[in-house]
Amino acid sequence: MAQPLWSGRLSDRPSLAAQAFQSSFSFDFRMILEDLAGSRAHARMLGKTGIIDKAEADALLAGLDTLSAEAAQGLLPLPGPEEEPPEDVHSYVEQLLTARLGEAGKRLHTARSRNDQVATDNRLVFRGLTEKTMEGVKTLVSALADIAEAHLQTFMPGYTHLQRAQPISLGFHLSAWCFMLMRDYGRLSDALDRFNYCPLGSGAMAGTTFPIDRAMTAAELGFIGPSDNAYESVADRDYCAELAAALAILMTHLSRFSEEVVLWASGEFGFIELADAWSTGSSIMPQKKNPDYAELIRGKTGRVYGSLMALLSMQKGLPLSYNKDMQEDKEALFDAFDTALACLDVFAPMMSSATFRKDRLRKAAAGGFTNATDLADYLVRKGLAFRDAHHVAATAVRECIQKGIGLEEMLIDDYRVLSNKIDTDVYEALSLKACVERRKSPGGPAESAVREQLARIRNFVSASRT
Ligand code: ARG
């Protein structure tokens, strides 16, 4: 490959191994289309401001367009495995362009440094990945809302401490996940609004002596505007850490949800039957049907946490402004995005193709004294203070445990021994349907309340920015 861009200063070249060590080409080649787009905006601006000749700017633009077309079709000449890699994608493009255009190619880097160039490429590529991830989150939310809507009357136990707590509907449970995922969307969207400013024109770190037009390049590249301070624009990767944090929290949600799917798919819970196409078998145990996809999502969460740690640690000791350490930003954040996107891609179809076992869900909801709070609430409606009502209901639960029955099976005479406020209407109050339907406080599991939640979820899906 050609000489490094800085070869004029140093008399010796790095060894092949050393060059391979410091090169970012193997992972920043992925940014070539963004790099070319940035160079196109820069070349057009150089021509318009008269910093370079109009004819040379036109030659550069034509050359960059050809490279973009070739890159999109995978036609660019790449170094072989035994060859020295280019230092990075920026050197690669400049060297190709110069080989093809001669003098004009050498003028492209006027009023620019690889420091503002890579900062711009980064923001372009991570902007695209952020939007793609937001889209993926939205698709998952929409799929979950569809399932939720079909299960407003599918009763199941709600849990705290993984102990059955109060009865809810599956629709309510799935809506809960929708709202958590909507905040993940919001975190990515907020981060995007903070980093969507163009560093191009920051130069190496102190701007440039040329009369550049930063507003022009920022607009052409779809940024909100140019960044404010050249020194920090080439120095900070806070947005990389922020995106990784948003992805880590998203993965936390996917991982917790996956854990539920794994539990639900077990023989002991038996709440869900995953589609055969979204399950795996065992090489030795013929009976097995395993929830590998959910397990892998849970497992891959660690990689994204790792990326966040890597991005924070990489930056913590860096003086301003650019340091080569920052080249480590790309692999970490690419991996975090690739992982989250892959998990989002499998989550929606895995859930949409699953069958929920209503009988098992209902049976679990009916057991475990999930209606004990409702007995206490019933007594409150009859005039008892809640603390006394709680005591009566707890005594009833203990008696039922001894008898091996549910609260709804206790005889009225036995109830009356506990409290003369209890009447035969207690049985209606203890029914599963009533327990869910009475919880119609805003945000609750009653069908009417969940329908309101779903309306907000649907509104998010139709009104969100991606
Ligand atoms: N490959 C480098 C990176 O990713 C590009 C910027 C190089 N700048 C420099 N002054 N060496 O950070």
Side-chain angles (χ1 to χ4, degrees), residues 67 75 80 100 133 147 176 189 239 297 305 312 348 360 368 393 403-404 439 443 450:
L67 285 183
L75 297 175
R100 292 182 183 189
T133 310
I147 308 172
S189 174
Y239 61 94
I297 292 165
Y305 293 179
L312 290 170
R360 298 276 308 197
K403 292 185 172 132
R439 290 192 161 73
V450 179

Side-chain angles (χ1 to χ4, degrees), residues 42-220:
H42 184 64
R44 207 185 314 279
M45 184 279 292
L46 290 178
K48 195 206 123 204
T49 51
I51 296 170
I52 65 170
D53 231 50
K54 180 84 176 62
E56 273 177 333
D58 288 345
L60 275 173
L61 288 170
L64 288 163
D65 283 345
T66 310
L67 285 183
S68 297
E70 288 175 27
Q73 294 171 62
L75 297 175
L76 288 176
L78 291 171
E82 301 301 316
E83 279 178 80
E84 190 180 8
E87 191 175 358
D88 49 33
V89 68
H90 327 296
S91 315
Y92 172 75
V93 168
E94 183 174 326
Q95 282 156 357
L96 264 184
L97 214 52
T98 304
R100 292 182 183 189
L101 304 180
E103 200 57 22
K106 291 199 247 169
R107 293 202 194 274
L108 176 61
H109 216 48
T110 318
R112 188 176 72 168
S113 153
R114 280 182 299 161
N115 295 352
D116 60 345
Q117 191 177 355
V118 73
T120 305
D121 290 8
N122 254 6
R123 289 178 194 224
L124 287 173
V125 79
F126 293 130
R127 184 173 72 192
L129 286 168
T130 301
E131 285 167 348
K132 207 166 157 201
T133 310
M134 287 161 67
E135 189 69 41
V137 172
K138 195 173 83 172
T139 304
L140 176 56
V141 167
S142 176
L144 293 174
D146 287 345
I147 308 172
E149 188 129 34
H151 289 287
L152 298 174
Q153 293 284 339
T154 302
F155 301 126
M156 66 178 288
Y159 294 85
T160 62
H161 312 267
L162 199 56
Q163 305 286 320
R164 280 175 281 184
Q166 290 168 348
I168 58 172
S169 70
L170 177 59
F172 179 66
H173 191 121
L174 296 176
S175 299
W177 283 118
C178 289
F179 285 105
M180 290 184 265
L181 290 164
M182 282 155 63
R183 285 196 296 277
D184 289 316
Y185 184 101
R187 266 182 282 275
L188 290 167
S189 174
D190 292 348
L192 177 56
D193 287 340
R194 256 186 297 283
F195 80 78
N196 197 11
Y197 290 87
C198 188
L200 201 58
S202 299
M205 33 63 76
T208 173
T209 56
F210 294 97
I212 55 171
D213 183 346
R214 292 195 64 202
M216 179 182 167
T217 43
E220 173 162 343

Side-chain angles (χ1 to χ4, degrees), residues 24 28 87-88 90 114-115 118 322 324 326-327 330:
S24 52
D28 67 12
E87 191 175 358
D88 49 33
H90 327 296
R114 280 182 299 161
N115 295 352
V118 73
Y322 178 82
K324 185 84 166 199
M326 289 154 68
Q327 178 166 290
K330 283 173 271 302

